[in-house]
Amino acid sequence: MKKIALVGCTGSIGKQTAETVRRYPNEFAFSSLVCGNDENALAAMNAEFRPAYACCAAKEAPDLQRIFEDCDVALIAAGGFAGLSYTLAAVRAGKRIALANKESLVCGGELVLREAEKYGAEIVPVDSEHSAIFQALSFRRDTRFARLVLTASGGPFLHCTEEELACMTAKDALRHPTWNMGAKITVDSATLLNKGYEVIEAKWLYGAGYEQIEAVVHPESIVHSLVYFEDGAAIAQLGYPDMRVPIQLALTYPERLPCCEQLDLARIGALHFERLPREKFPCFDLALRAGKEGGTCPALLNAAGETAVQAFLQGRISFLNIAETIEDALNAIPRSDADCYEAISSADATARERARKLIYGK
Ligand code: MG
């Protein structure tokens, strides 16, 4: 029986994790459940799964030690920058961390990895692309590879003209063609900021240089990512787009349990790949720029991005304003080292304030 501490239990990944636990009651149980603000959903899960500890972060400050003290796996599915403090607490408890919170590595990659080494914690990716790479590397981070290729569905606006992009609303952005995800990440998929985040995550997870990581558009979302090796061989992981597979695998690996339908290749027919249209979606290059500049730059990128996406979802700014808000923060705020939580958190606050001023004029 594996005991899971689930942070972000009422979000999209959290609910799908609960489905896995429901399906395998003899394999998994929740030792703790933490949600952001959906108290009612937490109460229902609490009644069903009876964890030793449950907390709604909007109501009371979560006890970071208690969340992780009794678990075998910490699944961090909290959204946004808030996820970093949970990831750090789980790392310092020396746990296996099934990481679904991108911001932990985007903003705090250097710190999280250093602490993981110190405390003997293990980071297992939940994101479908990084899970695919992990599988292609036979679950071994020391496997030598030449290049990593992240696939991208391209989001709902892939073939829009720039004029069309300027008019896109939150409702349009939330119609993702293949994956069923939360609102924030769905908008990040439409801007390709999400793919930029994933490049930064891949750098930290697999010790790859930025020149070794690329992204390619694959509209069917069947090939979840690939690893190229020195001899020219490439290994990919394929499957229907279903987050339950990487979630479950992060909990069970190297073992596997039945999860979803197997591919019917003849029914799928053709798979397509095309170049990432970087010039139309500047958020991708902004993410790479921040990643390469390093230090607190990715935290600035993320904070400005979160603020802008929230404003976009509320109809306050246009789709194209999202990239402009991020670029403004990166240009205006100086980089500093990201070697402790305080430095990262302070960069986060500075970029949020600047982005808010730009968007709301105050
Ligand atoms: Mg992904």
Side-chain angles (χ1 to χ4, degrees), residues 234-353:
I235 298 188
Q237 186 252 325
L238 284 71
Y240 291 118
D242 187 334
M243 280 308 294
R244 288 173 304 177
V245 178
I247 291 170
Q248 185 179 292
L249 186 62
L251 301 173
T252 63
Y253 106 90
E255 310 298 328
R256 293 177 187 265
L257 288 171
C259 185
C260 91
E261 198 191 340
Q262 293 180 353
L263 279 184
D264 182 343
L265 289 174
R267 205 180 76 202
I268 292 166
L271 294 177
H272 298 86
F273 300 90
E274 56 188 277
R275 202 181 54 79
L276 202 74
R278 295 165 76 147
E279 58 297 333
K280 249 183 0 192
F281 297 97
C283 285
F284 180 80
D285 280 348
L286 286 170
L288 258 60
R289 167 185 157 189
K292 286 175 186 166
E293 285 175 6
T296 49
C297 290
L300 301 175
L301 166 94
N302 174 72
E306 277 187 30
T307 310
V309 168
Q310 207 172 39
F312 172 69
L313 286 170
Q314 295 162 352
R316 297 290 296 258
I317 61 171
S318 78
F319 186 73
L320 300 178
N321 289 151
I322 298 174
E324 288 163 13
T325 308
I326 294 172
E327 189 168 17
D328 169 76
L330 286 178
N331 287 344
I333 306 169
R335 168 200 188 283
S336 55
D337 288 337
D339 51 1
C340 63
Y341 179 79
E342 291 66 33
I344 301 166
S345 161
S346 142
D348 176 85
T350 309
R352 271 173 215 277
E353 200 192 325

Side-chain angles (χ1 to χ4, degrees), residues 102 127-130 151 179 181 185 194-195 198 243:
K102 286 174 196 281
D127 207 348
S128 63
E129 292 80 358
H130 304 97
T151 51
W179 289 98
M181 307 175 289
I185 185 172
N194 181 57
K195 209 46 61 179
E198 288 177 356
M243 280 308 294

Side-chain angles (χ1 to χ4, degrees), residues 33-76:
L33 291 170
V34 179
C35 80
N37 51 33
D38 193 345
E39 239 183 297
N40 293 336
L42 177 68
M45 288 179 82
N46 204 8
E48 179 182 358
F49 296 106
R50 306 241 152 248
Y53 178 75
C55 176
C56 174
K59 276 201 77 188
E60 52 173 325
D63 182 336
L64 291 177
Q65 252 178 344
R66 269 197 76 192
I67 299 174
F68 303 113
E69 68 193 2
D70 193 32
C71 71
D72 300 302
V73 187
L75 202 153
I76 311 294

Side-chain angles (χ1 to χ4, degrees), residues 1-325:
M1 172 76 81
K2 275 205 177 94
K3 286 180 286 181
I4 304 165
L6 174 59
V7 178
C9 64
T10 58
S12 167
I13 298 281
K15 283 182 191 150
Q16 294 179 78
T17 307
E19 255 183 68
T20 302
V21 171
R22 225 172 258 131
R23 183 167 179 196
Y24 291 107
N26 298 322
E27 304 280 339
F28 308 114
F30 287 118
S31 55
S32 45
L33 291 170
V34 179
C35 80
N37 51 33
D38 193 345
E39 239 183 297
N40 293 336
L42 177 68
M45 288 179 82
N46 204 8
E48 179 182 358
F49 296 106
R50 306 241 152 248
Y53 178 75
C55 176
C56 174
K59 276 201 77 188
E60 52 173 325
D63 182 336
L64 291 177
Q65 252 178 344
R66 269 197 76 192
I67 299 174
F68 303 113
E69 68 193 2
D70 193 32
C71 71
D72 300 302
V73 187
L75 202 153
I76 311 294
F81 181 73
L84 176 59
S85 57
Y86 291 107
T87 300
L88 281 172
V91 161
R92 288 170 182 153
K95 301 296 179 176
R96 176 191 281 193
I97 294 143
L99 189 58
N101 172 264
K102 286 174 196 281
E103 293 77 4
S104 294
L105 289 180
V106 169
C107 304
E110 183 187 337
L111 175 63
V112 167
L113 262 78
R114 191 184 70 208
E115 296 288 276
E117 170 124 23
K118 183 169 157 193
Y119 291 94
E122 180 194 19
I123 313 251
V124 183
V126 170
D127 207 348
S128 63
E129 292 80 358
H130 304 97
S131 174
I133 291 170
F134 197 40
Q135 294 173 64
L137 295 171
S138 312
F139 303 123
R140 293 183 59 116
R141 270 179 239 281
D142 56 356
T143 305
R144 279 182 56 183
F145 58 85
R147 280 191 302 137
L148 306 176
V149 181
L150 303 169
T151 51
S153 70
F157 302 158
L158 180 64
H159 295 117
C160 288
T161 63
E162 268 179 64
E163 294 71 42
E164 288 168 336
L165 283 181
C167 309
M168 288 302 169
T169 63
K171 211 173 137 202
D172 301 316
L174 294 179
R175 269 189 227 117
H176 194 279
T178 48
W179 289 98
N180 178 15
M181 307 175 289
K184 162 78 169 53
I185 185 172
T186 305
V187 175
D188 286 345
S189 295
T191 59
L192 297 190
L193 181 59
N194 181 57
K195 209 46 61 179
Y197 284 162
E198 288 177 356
V199 171
I200 301 176
E201 285 181 277
K203 172 212 150 64
W204 291 116
L205 280 169
Y206 302 111
Y210 282 109
E211 72 290 348
Q212 287 179 290
I213 313 168
E214 58 190 275
V216 64
V217 171
H218 169 44
E220 291 89 1
S221 300
I222 296 290
V223 176
H224 297 314
S225 277
L226 308 82
V227 179
Y228 282 76
F229 297 90
E230 275 161 310
D231 57 0
I235 298 188
Q237 186 252 325
L238 284 71
Y240 291 118
D242 187 334
M243 280 308 294
R244 288 173 304 177
V245 178
I247 291 170
Q248 185 179 292
L249 186 62
L251 301 173
T252 63
Y253 106 90
E255 310 298 328
R256 293 177 187 265
L257 288 171
C259 185
C260 91
E261 198 191 340
Q262 293 180 353
L263 279 184
D264 182 343
L265 289 174
R267 205 180 76 202
I268 292 166
L271 294 177
H272 298 86
F273 300 90
E274 56 188 277
R275 202 181 54 79
L276 202 74
R278 295 165 76 147
E279 58 297 333
K280 249 183 0 192
F281 297 97
C283 285
F284 180 80
D285 280 348
L286 286 170
L288 258 60
R289 167 185 157 189
K292 286 175 186 166
E293 285 175 6
T296 49
C297 290
L300 301 175
L301 166 94
N302 174 72
E306 277 187 30
T307 310
V309 168
Q310 207 172 39
F312 172 69
L313 286 170
Q314 295 162 352
R316 297 290 296 258
I317 61 171
S318 78
F319 186 73
L320 300 178
N321 289 151
I322 298 174
E324 288 163 13
T325 308

